[in-house]
Each structure stands twice: as C-alpha cells, then as structure tokens.
Amino acid sequence: MAQSIAEQTSADTVTLHRVNTPLAQTWNYLRANDITLTVPKLSRKGDVYFALPQLYRKIECGMGEQVTEWVTSQAADATYVEVRRGEHRADPIVVDVDSDAGTVRDTGIMLREGSSATVVVIAHGTGTAEATSASLLRIVAEKRARLTLVEIVAETDAIQHLESVGIDADDDAVLDVRQYLLGGGKVAVGFAANLAGDRARIELNTRYLARQSEVLDINHVVRQRGENTRAQINESGVLADAAQKSLRATIDLIHGGKGSKGNEAETVLVTGDDIVNKTMPVILCDEDDVQGNHGATIGSIGPDQMQYLRDRGLSTREAEDLYVRAIFDDATINAPTDAARQAVLARAAEVLGQEIAHDLSDGLFLQAEEEA
C-alpha cells in the first residue's frame, strides 16, 4: 500500500506521496494515479505568521491534503483578500511566485455575494539553479459572484513548481478559468472546483507545452453538487522531444445535482518519438437526471497538412512551432497584467527565440492601437 503521509527524506527535504490523486483510481499498471514529489523542508521554528481563516481548511484543493499542509507550513505568510458584496474590482488580484527564489505562496480569496474579480497567478523563473516553488490558492465565490482566474506557469528547466487550487462556488456563481502551462523541469498542477450551489457554472480552459525531458502532471476535479450546474473542461497542448505528461480529469455528478451537465475534452499534439503521454478522463455519476461526456484526441500533424505547409516553404520543425506559437499567442493576449505578459514573452524567447517573442509583443501593440 502506498504511503498517504509526507515522509521526511532528510533534514532538508520531504517526500510527498500520492499527489494529484484522482477521485476514481484505475490503470495502476500505467502508474497514472498519482505523482511523488520531493520538496524542501524549511525550518519555521519560532516564526509567527498570519494563517487563513478556518473556513479555508474545508476547501478541497486539486493537489491533495499533503501539498496543502506542506505549503501552509513552508509559506512565510498567508495572504487574504476580500472583495466586498456587490463590488466589481477593477484591478486584478496578483499572486506572484518568483521561482528562482523558491517562493511559496498561501493565498485565500473571498468573493462576497454579487461581486466580481480577476485573479492572476504568475509562476516564473529565469535562472539555471535548481529550485522548488509553489502556490496554494483557495477561493470562496458566494452567490452570483463572478471569478476570472488566469494561471501562468512559465518556468525554466531547472525549476520544480507546484500549483494547487481549490474553489467553492455558491448559487449562480460563474467561474472562468484559464491555465497556461508553458514549461518547467517538473510542474505539477491540481485544480478542484466544488459547484455546491444551484446553477453554478465553470469553464476551465487549459493550454500546455512540455518539451525536452520536462515532466507535466495535471489533476482536474469538478464536483457538481447543486442542481442545474454546468461544467465545461477543455484541455489542449503540445508534447515534444522526450516530455512526460499525465492528465487526470474527473467530473463528479453527485447525487442531488439534478439537471447538471458536464463535458470534458482534450486534444494532444505529439511531435517527438520519445514522449510519454497519459490521459485519464473520468465521469462519475450518482444521479439519474444529468449528462456527462468526455473524450481525448491524440496524434501528430497529418501528412496532408504537413505537405501543405512544406509547399509554402516551412520545414517540419517550423510547422510544429506554429502550434507552439499559437499557445504563446493565446497566453500573451489573455495575460491580464504586464508582469504576466512579460513572463509569457520571456518563456517564448527561450522556447521559440527572441524574434518570435518580439513578434508576439508587436502583435499586442498593434492590437492595443486598433482597440484605441
């Protein structure tokens, strides 16, 4: 039986077992049910720092309890932000994670009834020294609250990053979530949304890139408890070289959630011969009057498409880079802050080169002029 608690590997590190575990485990022979991570252990003896209200301890987070406990014990402090009832906050709430410095963030956000806000998580690093960073984000969205969440993970190959999110949504709450996972030596991302209220809804769009020998591990969980809830999960990405990716996507249609609908779909473009891709879509259902669908499409650029692009002067590598560029283009356009855009462009320069990064930046400038 696998261990379910954190194991202290040495005086300076801790091993977290069974991270990103799906609700329904299967395919054990593929080792697709979880990931094991070794993370640093800092000494906080004698430190006194702010902790989030007890309410946040009840929120399920995508990476699981071990990661939650590790982050809360390692974060130098916790940040709490409350958006007042009926307030439409103009400035984004930014969670900045400097991965080169091994930053660990613990953040709690409260969206009161009828409020709205944009939350941006930026995990970025530019150095070559090995480091581990993490962000734990827990959000409560009360009745009729509207949340836009943008997560940008733009790391170098030296970085290990953990990103865990948990959201509770009440009646008529609307969640618009966009994840851009643009690289890192080892990146583990967990997302859990609890649609507890009637007519609560979520749209989760994830775009990712894993290349060289990078490891990307994703766990998406949406629990549909309220009546007439809606969940739409879309994942798409590019895997190149010898990258390893695991995706667990679970829609849980819980008893009592009559009239609810959930859909999940993934599209994977494979451009290397040594790639390891594991996709585990799951629909759980304990209610008759519901609808649930899932599927995955995995493949490479078709011969006809490739020939079309070659006829126009593109090499195989240049054609594949078009798909990668599309991910960065989307991330650049939808980055809500200058810091987020700079993180995307810095990663684009590393992956695609300075010239393309400049093109992406120029495209933003032209778009801003047109909108003005």
Side-chain angles (χ1 to χ4, degrees), residues 91-160:
D91 295 331
I93 301 167
V94 179
V95 180
D96 188 274
V97 181
D98 181 356
S99 299
D100 293 334
T103 302
V104 178
R105 300 285 188 205
D106 180 12
T107 309
I109 295 173
M110 174 68 71
L111 299 184
R112 293 298 185 184
E113 183 175 343
S115 66
S116 65
T118 296
V119 180
V120 188
V121 182
I122 313 166
H124 56 99
T126 57
T128 57
E130 292 186 0
T132 295
S133 59
S135 170
L136 172 64
L137 176 63
R138 290 170 281 184
I139 301 174
V140 175
E142 293 188 342
K143 294 179 180 179
R144 298 187 302 281
R146 299 182 68 89
L147 168 71
T148 299
L149 171 61
V150 180
E151 300 173 76
I152 293 175
V153 178
E155 307 285 13
T156 64
D157 295 341
I159 300 297
Q160 173 179 256

